[in-house]
Amino acid sequence: MSTNKVIHALYNDDDVLMDAVKQTRKAHHHIEEVYTPFPVHGLDKAMGLAPTRLAICAFIYGCIGLSTATWMMNNIMISDWPQDIGGKPSFSYIQNMPAFVPVMFEMTVFFAAHLMVITFYMRSRMWPFKQAENPDVRTTDDHFLMEVAVSGNENDMVSFFQNTGAVEVKVIEKH
């Protein structure tokens, strides 16, 4: 089993954390993760994270839902069991489409919402019964933790993070 070291720099203010993230990126240190008790606006850009592609997935899932609804209604109401409901003709999907719009909308939303939740959980690696990966319980209350991979001189990096305003800096062996 391989081990590598990471530095846990703990901050008690989100503005100090933002400045520390910018300084860390400027010093070319690799930030593994940042743990915060609440969302910090602009942190993703400061860390240099790529924009999310979940909106593209939502569009694709909506199209799948719309296609499924169209296929389902054509097979059920036109091909398999055509019925004269309220005087509507049942020999053409196009003629019945105004009556099918609510079903198409609901299936689009249903597929997009449910598949987005599944995609989010899989992308975040949040499996059922998975243990929490929070390295310090204070990050769920009032502290911010930046996890940085140790590269080069460990003592220089510790002093660097102490100078960024960290209230606590620890070197941890990660398995």
Side-chain angles (χ1 to χ4, degrees), residues 50-160:
T52 181
R53 294 183 301 265
L54 285 177
I56 297 168
C57 292
F59 178 75
I60 292 169
Y61 297 153
C63 289
I64 292 170
L66 181 63
S67 300
T68 302
T70 303
W71 174 81
M72 182 185 75
M73 289 181 297
N74 186 48
N75 282 334
I76 292 172
M77 299 297 292
I78 306 301
S79 302
D80 186 39
W81 193 273
Q83 296 179 28
D84 184 5
I85 301 172
K88 294 185 177 115
S90 60
F91 52 85
S92 169
Y93 180 82
I94 297 297
Q95 288 178 327
N96 286 323
M97 193 143 90
F100 294 156
V101 168
V103 176
M104 292 187 309
F105 172 76
E106 291 298 330
M107 289 287 281
T108 301
V109 172
F110 179 84
F111 270 68
H114 285 80
L115 292 176
M116 280 296 296
V117 168
I118 293 168
T119 301
F120 173 75
Y121 283 138
M122 290 179 68
R123 180 69 180 99
S124 299
R125 293 179 175 88
M126 294 174 63
W127 319 116
F129 311 109
K130 181 181 181 207
Q131 295 295 320
E133 294 179 5
N134 191 0
D136 194 326
V137 294
R138 293 176 285 182
T139 60
T140 61
D141 187 23
D142 61 349
H143 281 74
F144 306 85
L145 186 136
M146 180 168 41
E147 186 176 273
V148 180
V150 173
S151 59
N153 190 347
E154 182 179 311
N155 294 330
D156 289 345
M157 289 185 73
V158 169
S159 64
F160 171 80

Side-chain angles (χ1 to χ4, degrees), residues 11-22 40 144 164:
Y11 300 89
N12 57 6
D13 186 15
D14 58 335
D15 293 328
V16 176
L17 171 75
M18 285 292 287
D19 290 336
V21 167
K22 291 173 186 173
V40 178
F144 306 85
T164 61

